[in-house]
């Protein structure tokens, strides 16, 4: 039911010293949500339906709160028939190209949140893996494996 509340990540609130900015664009047949580091490549980012420009070094709790907020807003504006999820590893704190500060556990919680939202709305999900320039290759492998495990945990109980 579209009016049902989304599964929340918890009682966390957005507390970054410099909060993220949200930009909106008109919706069409495709609705996109992008959470990305504002001060990272590319300097100019093509507009999404909802863009969340995150400050450098944002951590798990703030990231998850912004994601929860963006998903809630997006699903009030658009009813997708398919959710295409780009499960990037670049927000990881030890990624060599990124500048966010998420832990491996925080990234798994991100994946679980996306999958719980899709399941609650009965939206099929297509996942692509992205990023992965961690100092330790094993960390990147763990991050991507955790995405699969999160999907199994959420959808495996069907």
């Amino acid at each position: 039911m579209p009016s049902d509340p989304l599964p929340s990540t918890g009682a966390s609130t957005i507390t970054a010293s410099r909060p993220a900015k949200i930009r909106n664009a008109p919706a069409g047949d495709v609705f996109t949500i992008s959470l990305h580091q504002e001060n990272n490549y590319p300097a100019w980012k093509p507009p999404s339906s909802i863009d969340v420009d995150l400050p450098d070094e944002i951590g798990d709790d703030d990231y998850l709160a912004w994601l929860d907020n963006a998903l809630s807003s997006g699903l009030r504006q658009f009813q997708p028939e398919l959710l295409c999820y780009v499960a990037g590893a670049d927000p990881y704190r030890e990624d060599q190209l990124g500048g966010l500060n998420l832990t491996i556990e925080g990234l798994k919680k991100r994946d679980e949140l996306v999958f719980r939202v899709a399941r609650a709305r009965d939206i099929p999900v297509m996942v692509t893996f992205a990023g992965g320039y961690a100092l330790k290759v094993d960390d990147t492998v763990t991050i991507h494996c955790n995405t699969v495990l999160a999907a199994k945990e959420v959808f495996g109980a069907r």
Side-chain angles (χ1 to χ4, degrees), residues 16-73:
S17 59
R18 190 171 103 3
K21 295 182 284 187
I22 296 180
R23 297 178 281 124
N24 290 300
D29 290 338
V30 174
F31 192 95
T32 56
I33 298 173
S34 178
L35 271 73
H36 50 262
Q37 183 182 355
E38 181 178 23
N39 298 314
N40 202 345
Y41 177 85
W44 181 85
K45 294 161 182 67
S48 299
S49 304
I50 296 176
D51 281 291
V52 181
D53 299 323
L54 298 169
D56 298 346
E57 301 296 322
I58 197 165
D60 292 342
D61 291 340
D62 289 334
Y63 184 97
L64 293 168
W66 280 109
L67 175 60
D68 191 50
N69 184 0
L71 288 170
S72 296
S73 177

Side-chain angles (χ1 to χ4, degrees), residues 30 95 108 113 136 142:
V30 174
D95 187 272
K108 187 173 182 194
L113 174 61
K136 299 176 194 162
T142 298

Side-chain angles (χ1 to χ4, degrees), residues 79-155:
Q79 295 178 10
E81 295 174 21
L82 175 68
L83 193 152
C84 298
Y85 173 43
V86 180
D90 47 323
Y92 179 49
R93 68 170 48 160
E94 293 185 34
D95 187 272
Q96 296 177 79
L97 300 180
L100 301 181
N101 199 25
L102 275 70
T103 64
I104 288 175
E105 185 59 33
L107 288 165
K108 187 173 182 194
K109 287 179 181 179
R110 171 204 65 182
D111 298 338
E112 291 167 349
L113 174 61
V114 170
F115 296 141
R116 283 196 325 264
V117 165
R119 182 170 182 200
R121 299 288 177 106
D122 203 28
I123 305 167
V125 180
M126 184 273 314
V127 178
T128 59
F129 299 108
Y133 304 97
L135 293 169
K136 299 176 194 162
V137 173
D138 287 353
D139 287 350
T140 299
V141 172
T142 298
I143 291 165
H144 290 315
C145 287
N146 280 346
T147 302
V148 174
L149 293 172
K152 181 180 179 193
E153 290 167 11
V154 171
F155 292 107

